Amino acid sequence: MKLLLVGNQGSGKGTQGKILSQKYQIPLISAGELCRSANKDTEQGKIVHRYMNAGELVPDDIMTALLKKRLDENDTTDGFILDGYPRTLAQGHLLEKITDLDKVIYINISDNEVIKRITGRRTCSKCGAIYNVLTSPKPKNENICDNCNGALKKRKDATKAAVKKRSTWFHEKTEPLIDHYRKQGILMEVNGEVAIEELSKQILKELNSQ
Ligand code: AMP
C-alpha cells in the first residue's frame, strides 16, 4: 500500500503515520527526517543542511533525488507512507515520475485549531514530556513539568505570527496538490479535530473498506 499523509502543521500526520506504519508493517518516510539525516560529507548533503538551517525548503530536484534513493531501499516492496513530501503541486508532479500512490489521506483541521495546537505546545527541557497549555494534556503549572519539575519550553517558531504564515503557505501551495488528488479520485479526507485513537480508527476503517 502506497500512502501519502497531508495536513496542516499540528494535524497529527506524524502520529497517524506511526500508527499506520505499525499496522501495515510498511515504513513511514518523513521528508524532514530524510533531510536531517542527509550526509553532511557529500555535496548534496551540504546543500540540504544549508537550506534547512535557513528555514527554507530544499530545492525540488534534490528533495526528489533523496526520496527516490529512499524508495529504492528493500523495505518498501510492500509499500510506504510518505509524510511531508510532496507538499506542492510541482513536487506532486515530480513524484509521479518516481512512483504512483494508492491513497492520499488528508487530515483536515481548522486554522484556529492549528494555532491552539502549535502555540500551546510546551516541552519539558529536562525529561522531554510534551504538554499543551491550550488543549491537552495541560500541565498543572504552565511553566513546570508535572513529572520532574523541569522548565517547560515553547519552540521559537511557535509564535502566532509564524504559525499563521505557515498556514497561509499551506493554503496557497498544498491545497492545489490536495485538489489534484481529489480529481484523481484517490483522496481520503478525514476530520483531524478528534482524539488520536478515534482518528486512527476512522482512517483504518476507510482504508480497509477500499
Ligand atoms: P519538517 O521536519 O517537516 O519541519 O522539515 C524540516 C526541513 O526539511 C524543512 O524546513 C525543509 O528544509 C526540509 N523539507 C521537508 N519537507 C520538504 C519538502 N517537501 N520539500 C522541500 N524541503 C523539505
Side-chain angles (χ1 to χ4, degrees):
M1 185 152 30
K2 299 173 192 170
L3 302 174
L4 164 67
L5 282 161
V6 284
N8 207 339
Q9 47 193 321
S11 59
K13 282 178 288 138
T15 308
Q16 293 302 324
K18 279 183 204 143
I19 295 171
L20 290 170
S21 168
Q22 276 203 337
K23 178 82 188 164
Y24 293 112
Q25 293 292 299
I26 50 177
L28 172 62
I29 301 176
S30 142
E33 210 39 65
L34 275 185
C35 291
R36 280 185 284 279
S37 61
N39 186 346
K40 286 183 186 157
D41 296 332
T42 64
E43 217 27 65
Q44 189 191 57
K46 280 188 190 126
I47 299 174
V48 170
H49 285 277
R50 201 184 313 137
Y51 277 92
M52 269 200 319
N53 293 339
E56 286 172 26
L57 287 182
V58 172
D60 284 355
D61 55 338
I62 298 182
M63 196 61 236
T64 309
L66 281 180
L67 187 78
K68 179 168 182 346
K69 189 159 170 265
R70 178 64 187 88
L71 290 179
D72 283 343
E73 287 176 27
N74 291 335
D75 62 346
T76 64
T77 43
D78 289 337
F80 51 77
I81 303 156
L82 299 182
D83 170 13
Y85 179 98
R87 58 176 89 185
T88 63
L89 192 53
Q91 292 186 347
H93 290 316
L94 286 170
L95 182 75
E96 277 156 21
K97 294 184 183 166
I98 310 175
T99 183
D100 57 344
L101 294 168
D102 296 316
K103 259 295 154 275
V104 175
I105 303 163
Y106 169 32
I107 306 180
N108 194 352
I109 63 172
S110 67
D111 283 4
N112 269 347
E113 183 69 13
V114 169
I115 289 177
K116 276 201 282 180
R117 288 189 186 184
I118 305 290
T119 62
R121 210 179 256 174
R122 300 286 184 278
T123 307
C124 174
S125 51
K126 225 164 138 189
C127 74
I130 296 171
Y131 298 91
N132 193 306
V133 296
L134 298 176
T135 58
S136 69
K138 269 190 187 145
K140 290 193 188 93
N141 178 313
E142 278 218 355
N143 305 311
I144 297 168
C145 177
D146 290 357
N147 300 337
C148 73
N149 291 329
L152 296 184
K153 297 272 181 227
K154 182 174 167 173
R155 265 177 62 160
K156 278 203 206 85
D157 62 357
T159 62
K160 208 167 169 179
V163 175
K164 276 191 174 168
K165 197 173 157 202
R166 290 197 296 272
S167 267
T168 302
W169 193 94
F170 174 83
H171 294 307
E172 281 177 12
K173 307 284 186 185
T174 308
E175 277 179 3
L177 175 72
I178 294 170
D179 276 341
H180 172 69
Y181 293 127
R182 190 176 283 122
K183 283 184 197 129
Q184 282 190 352
I186 58 169
L187 190 78
M188 175 206 291
E189 184 168 344
V190 287
N191 172 16
E193 293 188 32
V194 295
I196 292 172
E197 301 74 30
E198 200 178 323
L199 181 55
S200 70
K201 249 194 221 161
Q202 196 189 329
I203 293 174
L204 288 169
K205 193 172 131 201
E206 292 204 32
L207 282 178
N208 290 333
S209 70
Q210 305 292 320

